[in-house]
Amino acid sequence: MIPAPFDYESPTTLEEAFGLLDRYGDEAKILSGGHSLIPMMKLRFASPEVLIDINNIPGLSHITKDGNTMKIGALVRESEIEHAKELIAHFPIFADVTKLIADPSVRNRGTIGGNLAHGDAANDHPAVMLALRANIVISGKDGNRTVPIDEFFHGFYMTEVQANEILTEIQIPIHGKGTGSAYHKMERKVGDYATAGVAVQLTLDANGTVTYVGIGLTNLSPVPMRAERSEAALLGKKLTDEVIAEAAKCASEDCSPSDDLRGSEEYKRHLVGVLLKRMIHKAAERAMA
Amino acid sequence: MIECKTSKAISGMGHSMKRKEDGRFLHGQGNYVDDIKLPDMLYMDIVRSPYAYAKIKNIDSTAALAIPGVLAVITGKDLEQYNLHWMPTLMSDTQMVLPTDTVMYQAQEVCAVIATSRYAARDGREAVKVSYEVMKPVIDPYKAMDASAPVLRTDKEGKKDNHIWHWEAGQKERTEKIFAEAEVVVKEQMHIPRIHVSSIETCGCVADYHKVNNQLNMYMTTQAPHAIRTVIALVAGHVGLTEEKIRVISPDIGGGFGGKVPVYPGYVIAIAASFLIGQPVKWIEDRSENLQADSFARDYHITAEMAGTKDGKILATRFKILADHGYTDASANPSKFPTGMFSIGTGSYDYDTSFMECDAVYTNKPPGGVAYRCSFRVTEAVHAIERITDRFSLEIGKDPADVRMQNFIKKEDFPWKSPMGWEYDSGDYHAGLKLAMDTVDYWGLRKKQAEMRKEGKLMGIGISTFTEIVGAGPSKDFDILGIKMFDSAEIRVHPTGKAIARFGTKSQGQGHETTYAQIIAEVLGIPAENIQVEEGDTDTAPYGLGTYASRSTPTAGAAAAVAARKLKDKARKIAAYLLEVSEEDLEWEPGKFFVKGAPEKVKTIQEIVFASYTNFPQGMEAGFEATHYYDPPNLTFPSGAYICVVEVDKETGAIDVKRFVAIDDCGNIINPMIVQGQVHGGLTQGIAPAMYEELIYDEDGNILNGTLMDYLVPTAVESPSWETGHTVTPSPHHPIGAKGVGESPTVGAPPAIANAIVDALSPYGITHMEIPITPFKVWKALKEKGVV
Amino acid sequence: MTKHIKITVNGTEHELDVEPRLLLVHLIRENLAMTGTHIGCDTTSCGACTILMDGKSVKSCTILAVQANGKNLTTIEGVSAENEYNHLQEGFKENHGLHCGFCTPGMILRATELLENNPDPTEEEIRWGISGNLCRCTGYNNIVKAIKYASAKNRGIEPASTEPEFV
């Protein structure tokens, strides 16, 4: 399997990259981890004329805490997230999710920015970021703009990032005490795309009432999806079996999975309910720990 | 504990000798076919059909030929000029090398691009434009039998349907009578799905034709180099490539499992290209080509029935099969056995009546019917008998372990004649199952299961007690394309007492370089370390039928022992001459002959060998060499008792294999470490079709999972930690009492896993699950029963 | 259009002009003629092409040669001298961690990084750690054992017996 010929550019500054994007327009593709793009090029499902490799641009590989915000550079590799102690202390969901993405060698290359910018509802980080209410920093030659994750995904492989822009940073608000998060997906074998995946973050007050909740779903809709009615079912309530069951029911009803080799639509609607219950419990346990 | 007759220094049979071949693999110095690079070598890439059934209207090579480096595009019409566009399959059916007008399955070879580099060849492939007239394919094998189905093999004169052959065996009338009168009759419909060996190395070759001396050197991934040489001579003899001008070299092979037995069109096209251009041509498949076009395994639709008594006695079995062969019958079976050894399907049980029949059909799917680490359809048979035995146990409410113990052929009843006419050589089935049950604490698990069921939790225990049939085979019944299925060994011992031995088989990871040396070491007392083993070069190795169907130890391993014994006889004569005593006065101890009662009068095997070149009796032939072509008197019948324990998540359908114990009996063991390694690997290739793997086609004949993203080869995470053990019941007819083991676990594991999962679900009235059993299927079955 | 790159492979620096689309695995196998790194799939699934790039295991079939510019690569040919065995190679040999040998170089390189990050992994950590490397022959039991053996040796501990264990 061999890609069609293309030109290769390797800018060392963002400005240089923007210049190249301007010059090549739609003919160019940004190369980050490359583990979605290169396989597609090898299969000749994608044949860009130019690859703009952003791996040599410094300043995009940080994981830093800035006040109540966690900032993750777009070029941070999955394996770096896996071992990022402070990030995982705040968001244990990252330990859950990275372990389930592809395999260790792929995680050494795959980047969080690429995972999101690919705009694929089968990827795992979109659901996580929806649950965490992340903000996405998109850079262009005229500067940066910050987009809430809810406004980031537009369609199948389509995001808010325009042809002359680059996703550069992910910003995640840190919630206070009593917050927990969790992710799980059913997969046919390790490293597979999800049959169904659920990301949950919630905050419980001293009485056990949900004061904040975010829920994202993986591979259960054409566009990465936040389970808003499920969130509403939990918000301001205590986590009784009935409340959780209602949230699960909403997610089953609201998602729009399709039949495929992983299972039927009905199975996936069932699974999302089961997984949501389990992730609510797991997140709540972590919140109370 | 395995007893060893030789010291560790000699490392004959029973020693877990570390493998001699490992060094080169561990240093990246293996020599696989894609590692071969010859001067002026060209590269071939193949244009394949996107449709399952279509007429080729036009092949336009213009754009491809305009690409720098692209030298030629070879079509079926080009090959037709040399009458090279068709070839025989191993089952004496016919197969296109390249089509002249119609494609019969998706991913079929349409034409080939020859270029100066791999990259240019691929660019050329992308640039060839083929226009098709698409036709409605026949995909469902049951529909292939409909009178209204289009006849696919219009190339066969007078062919009026898609039926290939009918096979039947056993006692038809007696079976019907028993079934009509039996207290208990059970029946299940089962599909043994189409799967793919997917060895990590794909197939490929370098065809290197030298015009000046009309010589073809063919480096290729083949498990059977000699047989392939003969097939090439049959296909291309008429253009001057006769057998003495063909040298097939099978270098290191990155896994075979049966997928590297057939002759694929790519090999023949590469030969034709090299023949026409006069330069070496390399062809290496992509994984997707390998999965989508190379021979599949299995694809048997089986109706399995068992008749018995209420108290558990098995009286008769009946199996009716529909075999989906795809476009042509390219099975790799011995000629007389179109269903291979399916007739082992009466199992490990003592009853005398069975009837089996099979109809094979053509469909618009890739051809095949090769092994998948399974000898000749034994996996299909064992799945049927072991599943239906559990179904029978469930029906009468008796524990499946008890039913098996009750019906096993007894140790003292061997050799035992099966209703299908096989003579099982030896076995101790009761001992195997008992060891497996003791190891898992079977009755303790049944108690635990009862408690878990009370809590609504799903736990299952599955047993499979199988009998294998391997070592094909005796020349009176076994041949491939007419060539009898013997195998061979040639031993040459050099003057300094070190040896080289060559064989007609070909290791693909089985460790022949170590185990064959150990067999010779066992007989001659020459340290295995000093015995070089070579296979895979038809110019140097004696003729043999190759390595598949667990036949290497039963055939070539036997040949090694017999050839070594010939040499030992010679050694005795030389020792007697050197020690000036009669042969009867000599005694043997591994590595030396000494005079009875006078152990100081001794000649080591090394001294004797040296004498065979320097100081041998008058009239004796010089040197120390022997060859043997071994024709086995019978097949060997390895057996095993496997127990699998699973827990099932009722909500998601997820299946967790908690334990898997495999007790194998492969007769005498040459190298316990290697036998265990073979069992581990076979077990993972057993869980694969049981829970993960299946080639899936839609109704238009499109493969839906033609890459490793969706064809789910198990990783170390899916593969449980296997627990293995053995009983040892030597084969009475094999020279070293060995039986063959490489495939037993692949045969035995799937029904153990399926039985465990069905056992877990049985409280809800579920009696059968089709493999691969996935979480989705489990959930669906539970939903149908109203459980979730 | 070719690009000029400079890479270090097993300690030796190479300068080459390559087509941008040249895959790193082909650079290693064809341009540098080191054939211990293998190709087993098209979809980054099998891991036969695993090497170390700046100490991290990567699948060289899914990296462009131009992306390796300035990097330090280790292939199976570089893990030990030809007449020596490092602890992993020794572990695989002593524990029968390979059959056909095709996946072995990738397994060893992956395990190298695994032990670098986690010197004393559990069986489960090893299994997850090699989950991107398919082996069709061994059933993985002895690969796990081989990695445990190397882990013990790396830490100066006597490894478990390499005799096969039977029930």
Side-chain angles (χ1 to χ4, degrees):
Chain A
M1 285 284 167
I2 294 154
F6 55 84
D7 282 339
Y8 172 83
E9 298 284 357
S10 179
T12 52
T13 64
L14 278 171
E15 290 65 36
E16 206 187 325
F18 298 138
L20 291 164
L21 285 171
D22 261 353
R23 192 187 327 156
Y24 294 113
D26 284 347
E27 286 161 10
K29 274 264 178 199
I30 291 170
L31 178 64
S32 175
H35 275 50
S36 296
L37 180 58
I38 294 175
M40 286 171 75
M41 291 171 64
K42 284 166 71 181
L43 295 162
R44 302 208 180 188
F45 294 156
S47 303
E49 309 253 315
V50 186
L51 281 191
I52 299 171
D53 183 353
I54 60 169
N55 284 280
N56 299 307
I57 298 173
L60 299 175
S61 299
H62 55 281
I63 303 178
T64 45
K65 193 176 160 203
D66 182 0
N68 277 334
T69 304
M70 212 45 149
K71 295 184 170 174
I72 306 176
L75 280 182
V76 170
R77 314 276 168 189
E78 301 292 356
S79 58
E80 292 170 317
I81 294 173
E82 214 172 338
H83 299 115
K85 288 205 178 76
E86 193 185 25
L87 176 70
I88 287 173
H90 286 291
F91 303 102
I93 194 169
F94 282 112
D96 298 340
V97 68
T98 47
K99 188 183 176 185
L100 297 175
I101 294 173
D103 64 68
S105 297
V106 170
R107 295 200 290 272
N108 276 335
R109 294 298 298 168
T111 63
I112 189 162
N115 194 292
L116 292 168
H118 196 44
D120 186 349
N123 278 353
D124 299 282
H125 281 302
V128 172
M129 295 306 164
L130 285 164
L132 301 184
R133 298 279 201 281
N135 290 302
I136 308 296
V137 181
I138 300 170
S139 306
K141 62 176 188 248
D142 301 326
N144 296 342
R145 58 197 183 101
T146 301
V147 179
I149 191 74
D150 284 334
E151 295 163 23
F152 183 74
F153 299 107
H154 289 331
F156 191 60
Y157 292 160
M158 279 159 52
T159 70
E160 179 65 18
V161 182
Q162 303 303 306
N164 59 354
E165 292 181 316
I166 297 173
L167 188 164
T168 49
E169 191 180 75
I170 296 110
Q171 301 179 342
I172 306 170
I174 299 171
H175 291 256
K177 212 172 152 294
T179 301
S181 58
Y183 181 78
H184 191 62
K185 65 174 169 183
M186 274 291 279
E187 46 186 357
R188 295 172 301 174
K189 72 174 219 183
V190 64
D192 187 21
Y193 289 114
T195 307
V198 174
V200 172
Q201 177 171 258
L202 48 75
T203 304
L204 301 177
D205 69 12
N207 301 319
T209 303
V210 177
T211 59
Y212 156 85
V213 59
I215 298 171
L217 308 181
T218 301
N219 218 5
L220 289 160
S221 50
V223 182
M225 178 185 155
R226 199 178 129 194
E228 291 176 46
R229 278 207 309 140
S230 301
E231 291 175 4
L234 298 174
L235 196 63
K237 311 247 174 67
K238 285 191 179 160
L239 292 176
T240 62
D241 286 350
E242 292 73 29
V243 165
I244 293 172
E246 178 59 22
K249 185 167 154 279
C250 291
S252 295
E253 288 169 3
D254 294 353
C255 66
S256 48
S258 45
D259 290 349
D260 62 16
L261 294 176
R262 293 179 173 79
S264 65
E265 180 196 333
E266 194 187 9
Y267 176 54
K268 293 175 182 183
R269 285 191 192 277
H270 166 79
L271 267 187
V272 66
V274 173
L275 292 178
L276 181 55
K277 278 185 208 168
R278 291 180 185 184
M279 290 309 102
I280 290 170
H281 283 297
K282 195 167 172 184
E285 265 168 43
R286 285 170 172 174
M288 291 182 292
Chain B
M1 205 46 209
I2 310 264
E3 268 182 55
C4 301
K5 289 188 196 142
T6 57
S7 65
K8 197 164 181 180
I10 292 175
S11 276
M13 285 175 60
H15 289 281
S16 285
M17 184 188 189
K18 307 304 179 193
R19 295 203 322 171
K20 298 170 64 172
E21 43 269 81
D22 285 355
R24 66 179 185 275
F25 297 132
L26 288 164
H27 288 87
Q29 304 289 317
N31 185 38
Y32 302 93
V33 73
D34 197 17
D35 303 341
I36 292 166
K37 217 173 180 180
L38 301 176
D40 298 324
M41 189 169 76
L42 304 174
Y43 294 82
M44 182 172 96
D45 211 329
I46 294 177
V47 177
R48 293 175 184 275
S49 172
Y51 304 111
Y53 192 31
K55 288 225 184 301
I56 297 171
K57 286 161 65 182
N58 185 42
I59 297 174
D60 180 359
S61 311
T62 323
L65 289 167
I67 292 170
V70 173
L71 302 182
V73 175
I74 298 175
T75 66
K77 294 248 159 72
D78 298 325
L79 294 185
E80 191 176 19
Q81 292 174 37
Y82 300 88
N83 196 25
L84 285 171
H85 57 312
W86 285 88
M87 63 179 187
T89 72
L90 294 177
M91 283 309 278
S92 299
D93 203 331
T94 52
Q95 179 174 3
M96 293 178 219
V97 176
L98 284 174
T100 50
D101 50 26
T102 309
V103 284
M104 301 293 289
Y105 55 93
Q106 190 181 55
Q108 185 183 340
E109 297 79 0
V110 171
C111 61
V113 177
I114 312 295
T116 52
S117 77
R118 204 185 286 263
Y119 281 48
R122 176 53 54 107
D123 290 342
R125 172 177 112 158
E126 298 297 320
V128 171
K129 290 187 178 59
V130 185
S131 49
Y132 299 92
E133 181 190 327
V134 182
M135 297 185 282
K136 183 75 191 157
V138 177
I139 301 303
D140 181 334
Y142 286 95
K143 288 185 183 152
M145 300 277 273
D146 288 352
S148 61
V151 178
L152 298 179
R153 293 299 303 267
T154 49
D155 57 294
K156 289 174 180 267
E157 218 171 297
K159 188 89 186 120
K160 292 198 172 59
D161 56 25
N162 296 314
H163 189 245
I164 313 177
W165 41 256
H166 175 83
W167 166 88
E168 61 178 60
Q171 301 78 26
K172 189 173 186 182
E173 280 166 27
R174 206 162 78 212
T175 304
E176 276 168 12
K177 187 167 184 303
I178 290 175
F179 269 88
E181 295 166 1
E183 290 174 354
V184 184
V185 169
V186 289
K187 180 177 181 176
E188 289 290 352
Q189 178 67 31
M190 31 189 107
H191 181 216
I192 314 298
R194 185 174 270 245
I195 53 176
H196 199 283
V197 298
S198 195
S199 51
I200 306 298
E201 179 201 37
T202 60
C203 294
C205 67
V206 179
D208 180 22
Y209 177 71
H210 295 255
K211 271 190 179 159
V212 67
N213 49 5
N214 184 33
Q215 162 83 29
L216 173 70
N217 294 332
M218 183 68 181
Y219 305 85
M220 65 188 285
T221 47
T222 176
Q223 300 175 222
H226 286 96
I228 294 297
R229 186 187 68 190
T230 303
V231 173
I232 295 172
L234 292 174
V235 173
H238 65 278
V239 296
L241 271 178
T242 49
E243 200 162 1
E244 84 284 12
K245 294 292 188 186
I246 303 165
R247 180 182 188 182
V248 174
I249 296 172
S250 188
D252 286 324
I253 297 188
F257 314 115
K260 289 171 181 167
V261 173
V263 178
Y264 292 117
Y267 298 136
V268 180
I269 308 166
I271 292 171
S274 182
F275 184 80
L276 296 173
I277 299 170
Q279 282 172 250
V281 174
K282 180 185 269 191
W283 168 64
I284 306 291
E285 282 173 340
D286 284 341
R287 168 62 55 199
S288 43
E289 295 180 288
N290 173 264
L291 278 172
Q292 294 171 23
D294 284 4
S295 293
F296 70 91
R298 323 266 203 264
D299 214 350
Y300 266 24
H301 298 262
I302 305 172
T303 312
E305 294 174 276
M306 181 175 273
T309 65
K310 278 183 197 156
D311 70 347
K313 177 80 190 93
I314 300 170
L315 297 176
T317 50
R318 186 158 61 189
F319 302 104
K320 186 173 168 59
I321 309 157
L322 182 66
D324 182 350
H325 276 274
Y327 146 65
T328 184
D329 184 4
S331 298
N333 287 327
S335 310
K336 271 195 195 172
F337 302 93
T339 57
M341 309 291 103
F342 188 90
S343 52
I344 195 68
T346 56
S348 308
Y349 312 113
D350 185 0
Y351 61 100
D352 62 4
T353 307
S354 183
F355 180 68
M356 308 179 177
E357 60 184 322
C358 179
D359 288 284
V361 296
Y362 293 124
T363 60
N364 288 109
K365 293 192 203 125
V370 298
Y372 167 109
R373 206 172 180 149
C374 145
S375 46
F376 306 138
R377 307 290 188 182
V378 176
T379 317
E380 291 90 325
V382 165
H383 200 82
I385 181 70
E386 288 305 295
R387 270 268 59 237
I388 203 69
T389 300
D390 257 43
R391 178 71 189 84
F392 174 61
S393 308
L394 185 66
E395 188 73 16
I396 60 172
K398 200 164 173 173
D399 191 277
D402 289 337
V403 170
R404 285 176 168 84
M405 287 290 194
Q406 179 186 354
N407 286 284
F408 277 151
I409 301 156
K410 294 184 189 70
K411 187 182 177 185
E412 56 273 23
D413 290 341
F414 289 93
W416 183 82
K417 198 99 177 180
S418 90
M420 295 290 125
W422 300 113
E423 187 178 285
Y424 292 17
D425 58 350
S426 65
D428 187 351
Y429 301 154
H430 291 90
L433 181 54
K434 182 170 187 312
L435 178 54
M437 290 170 71
D438 290 348
T439 304
V440 294
D441 181 21
Y442 185 78
W443 298 115
L445 281 174
R446 284 289 177 207
K447 261 190 217 143
K448 187 178 165 197
Q449 181 184 43
E451 285 157 20
M452 286 179 74
R453 280 181 179 170
K454 275 184 213 152
E455 297 164 23
K457 289 184 183 157
L458 306 184
M459 187 261 243
I461 309 157
I463 303 176
S464 156
T465 49
F466 62 91
T467 296
E468 251 263 74
I469 174 169
V470 307
S475 61
K476 67 176 161 45
D477 287 325
F478 287 83
D479 70 88
I480 286 184
L481 292 173
I483 303 161
K484 302 295 186 184
M485 296 185 73
F486 57 85
D487 225 296
S488 60
E490 178 203 87
I491 307 170
R492 296 182 185 181
V493 189
H494 313 311
T496 53
K498 323 289 185 195
I500 183 159
R502 296 190 171 102
F503 296 84
T505 48
K506 174 63 202 173
S507 178
Q508 311 120 41
Q510 292 90 339
H512 290 175
E513 288 171 49
T514 306
T515 50
Y516 285 157
Q518 286 184 269
I519 293 172
I520 296 166
E522 175 81 5
V523 179
L524 285 178
I526 295 172
E529 202 55 52
N530 296 150
I531 301 165
Q532 184 79 14
V533 168
E534 232 185 63
E535 300 174 293
D537 182 343
T538 55
D539 267 14
T540 56
Y543 202 101
L545 269 279
T547 293
Y548 42 86
S550 293
R551 67 186 296 278
S552 297
T553 294
T555 60
V562 176
R565 283 174 193 172
K566 290 179 187 172
L567 288 174
K568 194 173 159 192
D569 289 345
K570 182 168 188 171
R572 182 185 288 272
K573 289 191 172 65
I574 296 171
Y577 167 74
L578 295 174
L579 293 166
E580 298 179 334
V581 294
S582 74
E583 286 181 51
E584 296 73 52
D585 292 334
L586 290 174
E587 232 171 284
W588 170 258
E589 181 174 294
K592 57 194 165 195
F593 277 110
F594 60 92
V595 178
K596 278 180 198 163
E600 74 285 359
K601 289 184 148 185
V602 61
K603 288 289 168 190
T604 65
I605 188 72
Q606 288 78 11
E607 290 168 322
I608 295 165
V609 171
F610 193 66
S612 76
Y613 289 90
T614 60
N615 175 24
F616 46 89
Q618 277 296 307
M620 180 184 271
E621 198 178 349
F624 209 74
E625 300 186 8
T627 303
H628 190 76
Y629 286 72
Y630 184 78
D631 181 5
N634 187 8
L635 296 136
T636 63
F637 296 80
S639 59
Y642 293 178
I643 298 181
C644 175
V645 184
V646 300
E647 286 179 19
V648 175
D649 180 336
K650 208 192 276 184
E651 287 189 310
T652 62
I655 302 153
D656 187 4
V657 177
K658 304 301 276 187
R659 284 187 78 182
F660 196 107
V661 171
I663 306 300
D664 275 279
D665 193 331
C666 60
N668 286 335
I669 291 174
I670 301 162
N671 181 322
M673 176 190 83
I674 288 180
V675 165
Q676 186 186 49
Q678 288 293 309
V679 172
H680 288 157
L683 290 170
T684 295
Q685 281 191 309
I687 196 173
M691 292 174 60
Y692 298 99
E693 295 177 14
E694 176 179 13
L695 293 167
I696 304 168
Y697 291 83
D698 69 13
E699 57 187 20
D700 293 322
N702 299 306
I703 186 162
L704 300 181
N705 56 348
T707 73
L708 287 183
M709 303 271 289
D710 287 308
Y711 187 79
L712 305 174
V713 172
T715 75
V717 174
E718 289 77 38
S719 189
S721 186
W722 308 110
E723 303 169 60
T724 68
H726 47 254
T727 53
V728 175
T729 317
S731 168
H733 65 77
H734 187 273
I736 54 171
K739 289 187 169 185
V741 74
E743 302 167 325
S744 287
T746 315
V747 164
I753 296 163
N755 286 344
I757 298 169
V758 173
D759 183 51
L761 305 179
S762 61
Y764 306 106
I766 290 164
T767 61
H768 181 68
M769 294 287 292
E770 291 282 40
I771 58 172
I773 306 176
T774 61
F776 173 48
K777 281 190 194 167
V778 168
W779 174 80
K780 216 163 59 172
L782 288 171
K783 180 154 177 62
E784 276 160 19
K785 297 290 178 188
V787 184
V788 289
Chain C
M1 184 188 82
T2 59
K3 293 276 169 188
H4 187 74
I5 60 166
K6 208 187 271 189
I7 57 169
T8 303
V9 183
N10 304 326
T12 305
E13 199 177 90
H14 301 265
E15 288 198 41
L16 309 95
D17 292 306
V18 299
E19 236 192 312
R21 64 168 168 163
L22 180 70
L23 300 172
L24 183 55
V25 69
H26 286 142
L27 173 107
I28 293 165
R29 288 181 50 82
E30 310 285 341
N31 302 50
L32 304 180
M34 288 189 242
T35 55
T37 306
H38 299 143
I39 300 169
C41 74
D42 332 315
T43 47
T44 330
S45 309
C46 81
C49 64
T50 305
I51 61 164
L52 297 182
M53 187 156 86
D54 290 344
K56 302 276 183 200
S57 71
V58 295
K59 295 184 173 180
S60 60
C61 73
T62 311
I63 293 177
L64 305 170
V66 287
Q67 288 182 282
N69 188 21
K71 309 279 189 197
N72 200 335
L73 311 184
T74 307
T75 69
I76 188 67
E77 289 88 349
V79 305
S80 74
E82 280 188 2
N83 56 350
E84 288 170 6
Y85 288 78
N86 76 8
H87 290 159
L88 273 164
Q89 289 169 307
E90 186 181 308
F92 274 72
K93 182 173 170 70
E94 293 296 315
N95 294 285
H96 192 27
L98 66 152
H99 293 189
C100 79
F102 200 78
C103 74
T104 312
M107 281 285 180
I108 287 179
L109 272 308
R110 169 82 275 272
T112 303
E113 195 210 338
L114 169 66
L115 293 181
E116 192 69 36
N117 292 340
N118 184 357
D120 185 15
T122 62
E123 173 169 347
E124 200 197 335
E125 286 166 343
I126 292 172
R127 286 181 179 275
W128 279 82
I130 58 170
S131 65
N133 294 69
L134 296 177
C135 170
R136 203 57 159 160
C137 300
T138 66
Y140 303 105
N141 265 37
N142 287 343
I143 293 179
V144 173
K145 209 170 152 193
I147 295 170
K148 285 212 153 186
Y149 176 101
S151 155
K153 279 256 174 162
N154 286 350
R155 291 176 292 122
I157 293 169
E158 185 62 29
S161 164
T162 63
E163 284 296 307
E165 292 161 46
F166 295 108
V167 299

